[in-house]
Amino acid sequence: MKVEIWSDIMCPFCYIGKRKFETALDQFAGRADVEVSWRSFQLDPELQAPADTNVYQYLADRKGQTLAWSQEAHAHVTEAARVVGLDYRYDKAVVANSFDAHRLIHLAKTKGLDDEAEERIFRAYFTEGCDIADHATLTRLGQEIGLPAADIQSVLASDQFAADVKEDCQMAARIGARGVPFFVFDRKFGVSGAQEPQAFLEVLQKSHTEWKTGQLDANKAPMEGAFCSPDGEGC
């Protein structure tokens, strides 16, 4: 049973949602039947920011809010991340376009390493203050999860996987994903946002039963939690 997750590296709720989903997956008796596949989504595909762009000012400008409002909003998200064991360091964060990072994740997917790539790049952005648009940084991160440097550099020096990233984003629009994270279970049930582990566990159980028996649950309804959207809603 495939679980597809649309995500952007710059989305704080995507990393939080990853942790909560992993908690549910660890508790799920049918875990061996589950294949997780990561898909690309860009909250700000046109982003072009100087290396010294302040993440607090970036969000304030994007949402038309004050710097104080942005700092408070980031503090709330940082606390939500801490609850699930993540250390968000927005004082170090580098605002950068995520397109090439997504291309690296697609390369990793060809080796069955897309989950490892997501995890490593999330940590690099949210905790380590890395520039996820910098090719040298992406090469180092890719090598750390087992990708050959030559393969990474070849991808980054070309437009390889660019069409895959764009197709993922277009697919998200077709299936009605207003933001990320967005989880699709067996192409039958969509869950938006960083749900609590128990909610994910319930969806896993229902979807797995349908997958094994072929019997659809007519009473299932979509669920929505904290998420980020391209228009700035949520974060």
Side-chain angles (χ1 to χ4, degrees), residues 125-169:
Y125 177 74
F126 284 105
T127 301
E128 299 172 357
C130 293
D131 181 352
I132 60 167
D134 178 69
H135 286 189
T137 298
L138 290 174
T139 299
R140 173 176 61 81
L141 298 176
Q143 285 183 278
E144 288 180 13
I145 65 166
L147 297 175
D151 291 357
I152 301 167
Q153 292 164 355
S154 176
V155 166
L156 296 177
S158 69
D159 64 353
Q160 192 174 357
F161 297 114
D164 300 84
V165 174
K166 292 175 182 177
E167 170 57 24
D168 279 356
C169 296

Side-chain angles (χ1 to χ4, degrees), residues 1 22-34 200-202 204-206 208-209 211-212:
M1 184 185 78
E22 289 168 343
T23 297
L25 198 57
D26 285 342
Q27 299 171 5
F28 179 50
R31 176 175 182 170
D33 293 331
V34 178
F200 279 128
L201 183 58
E202 290 174 3
L204 279 167
Q205 291 168 338
K206 291 178 181 179
H208 188 253
T209 298
W211 175 76
K212 292 195 75 171

